[in-house]
Amino acid sequence: MNIIILLQWMLGFFLFWRRNEIQESYDFDKDKRISVIIPARNEEKNIGNLLGSLKNQSIQIDEIIVVDDQSSDKTASIAKSFGVSVLQLKDLPDGWIGKSNACWNGYKFSTGDILIFLDADVTLSKNAVKSLLKVHQKYGGLISTQPWHNAVRVHEKLSAMFNIIAVMSMKEFSAIGFELKPIGSFGPCLVCSRKDYETSGGHEKIKNSVVDDVAIAKSFMKSALPVHNFLGGKLITFRMYPESLKSLVEGWTKNFATGASRSNPLFFLMIFLWISGYMNIIIYMNKISLAFYAFLYAVYAFQFYIFSRRVGNFGVISALFFPVHVFFFVFIFVYSLIRTFLFRNVDWKGRKIKTGGIS
């Protein structure tokens, strides 16, 4: 069993070998019109930070569009105070998921040659847009970025394992990721040309998908358009679910079971085996010598620290208490399976979203 636990630990480095961060660019020559589209629902605590960072970019953004998805707070008024375009939606059409509907309406309102879709909880460094455009110029197709998670409050630290697994599941960050097509994309930050967006069918094509980031990447690849995923590093950051533990549970419940059901079976198995290694550290603690147990615990904590610092500021304490993260992840995953496949709905921002179950 000791050898198996070590092999499971090594499997983690295979799954998350490549960092693949967006590199800061200073020399991009803008030659196309840029539209930033921000779907927002009850984001009064976040939208100001994002818009402030967009106004401070080192490159001119031709239009910024906030699509207010029936917010009950001050999202729209705060956005208007920044002098950006605010598109207020009146209803959610049948068969649509809220975010996809907001993105689609933002696209129809926009005029840019390059479209940048940003979640409202994202914050950008001064050269972030320039760096994203440089990467898109090089690769084309769909460029997505997983922002670095600025976890401030204690409950926000519980997102560490989810962020790590979200990156691992993409395949591109594995030791052989440069040879593999990704399973999806990262929803908080997407960049593409208007032409490619229209070719793929855009968000209308995936209007009823709960896990829109997986669906839109597959839509691009089915249209023979490349998809490339990156980590945001210190250029692109976000705070996920800062409001409360409830919002964190709802958010990850919405994403994880459905996303797992659409993941690559081999990578799903490898991630399961890797997580099982962390669980074995606790399960077999009374069946191995104290010295060897201390060694195993230390190397697993070290690995958790290495991986978690790539995706956010989760810190040394989170790494030392990695069993808390593992069991919280397992709880949310099981709960998500129940909501997704048994009850066939999940809660998110005051709406019940139908998941469709297994079908």
Side-chain angles (χ1 to χ4, degrees):
M1 178 55 68
N2 297 346
I3 299 300
I4 292 175
I5 293 175
L6 282 174
L7 289 174
Q8 290 172 305
W9 176 79
M10 293 173 63
L11 184 59
F13 285 107
F14 172 82
L15 291 166
F16 200 170
W17 183 258
R18 303 173 70 228
R19 294 187 63 160
N20 210 28
E21 288 185 359
I22 290 282
Q23 299 300 308
E24 189 164 16
S25 176
Y26 300 93
D27 60 353
F28 180 79
D29 293 323
K30 177 177 176 289
D31 62 351
K32 295 181 179 178
R33 187 171 173 82
I34 303 166
S35 296
V36 174
I37 300 167
I38 305 164
R41 177 175 168 85
N42 296 333
E43 295 285 0
E44 65 178 7
K45 294 181 180 179
N46 295 316
I47 195 70
N49 292 330
L50 171 57
L51 294 177
S53 68
L54 284 169
K55 290 290 186 177
N56 193 41
Q57 289 300 299
S58 59
I59 192 171
Q60 180 185 354
I61 299 173
D62 297 284
E63 61 181 0
I64 300 171
I65 304 165
V66 174
V67 186
D68 178 33
D69 184 12
Q70 298 178 284
S71 297
S72 58
D73 63 7
K74 298 178 181 178
T75 297
S77 61
I78 293 172
K80 289 176 182 177
S81 73
F82 280 86
V84 303
S85 299
V86 178
L87 180 62
Q88 293 183 274
L89 303 182
K90 301 300 182 183
D91 53 32
L92 179 63
D94 290 340
W96 282 83
I97 297 296
K99 182 179 177 181
S100 290
N101 181 54
C103 289
W104 181 248
N105 277 278
Y107 146 73
K108 290 193 295 182
F109 187 81
S110 70
T111 59
D113 304 299
I114 302 294
L115 306 177
I116 302 176
F117 296 92
L118 296 174
D119 281 2
D121 55 6
V122 171
T123 303
L124 306 173
S125 71
K126 187 173 183 178
N127 286 316
V129 170
K130 183 180 287 187
S131 303
L132 286 168
L133 294 173
K134 187 77 170 181
V135 172
H136 180 262
Q137 185 182 61
K138 178 179 180 180
Y139 293 103
L142 181 67
I143 301 298
S144 88
T145 304
Q146 176 73 350
W148 192 79
H149 192 158
N150 181 26
V152 178
R153 300 172 65 186
V154 173
H155 79 269
E156 295 176 63
K157 304 289 185 179
L158 291 172
S159 286
M161 182 63 81
F162 296 90
N163 280 280
I164 293 169
I165 292 173
V167 172
M168 285 181 170
S169 66
M170 287 299 172
K171 301 191 299 183
E172 279 184 293
F173 298 86
S174 70
I176 57 172
F178 56 90
E179 296 182 352
L180 302 175
K181 288 186 178 180
I183 192 66
S185 61
F186 298 122
C189 177
L190 299 172
V191 183
C192 62
S193 70
R194 189 178 202 87
K195 178 182 178 182
D196 288 348
Y197 183 81
E198 292 170 349
T199 299
S200 73
H203 284 87
E204 184 181 39
K205 185 77 172 289
I206 61 160
K207 62 184 180 181
N208 62 350
S209 176
V210 177
V211 190
D212 56 285
D213 44 8
V214 173
I216 198 165
K218 289 186 175 181
S219 182
F220 266 73
M221 289 186 284
K222 285 181 180 178
S223 301
L225 296 168
V227 175
H228 293 280
N229 298 311
F230 297 86
L231 298 182
K234 297 299 178 68
L235 289 177
I236 305 168
T237 65
F238 64 1
R239 283 189 68 187
M240 293 187 75
Y241 320 126
E243 302 88 357
S244 64
L245 179 61
K246 179 184 177 183
S247 66
L248 185 146
V249 170
E250 285 184 353
W252 287 119
T253 298
K254 174 176 70 74
N255 288 325
F256 241 73
T258 305
S261 70
R262 298 176 182 178
S263 65
N264 177 273
L266 178 58
F267 271 73
F268 180 84
L269 176 60
M270 286 192 290
I271 292 170
F272 173 80
L273 291 173
W274 174 70
I275 295 173
S276 297
Y278 279 81
M279 297 184 69
N280 287 337
I281 292 294
I282 297 96
I283 294 171
Y284 291 96
M285 64 182 298
N286 295 323
K287 299 182 180 181
I288 55 181
S289 69
L290 180 60
F292 192 67
Y293 176 77
F295 166 74
L296 288 175
Y297 195 98
V299 297
Y300 268 85
F302 173 74
Q303 184 186 67
F304 192 90
Y305 174 71
I306 293 297
F307 290 169
S308 64
R309 71 181 297 185
R310 294 178 183 178
V311 296
N313 64 333
F314 297 102
V316 175
I317 294 177
S318 284
L320 292 175
F321 287 91
F322 70 79
V324 176
H325 293 273
V326 173
F327 284 118
F328 183 72
F329 170 81
V330 172
F331 165 75
I332 294 298
F333 186 75
V334 172
Y335 177 61
S336 185
L337 285 173
I338 293 170
R339 291 299 302 267
T340 300
F341 298 111
L342 183 59
F343 292 97
R344 296 178 176 239
N345 67 73
V346 293
D347 297 316
W348 181 237
K349 293 196 174 183
R351 286 174 173 159
K352 280 203 177 294
I353 300 175
K354 294 181 180 179
T355 62
I358 299 174
S359 59

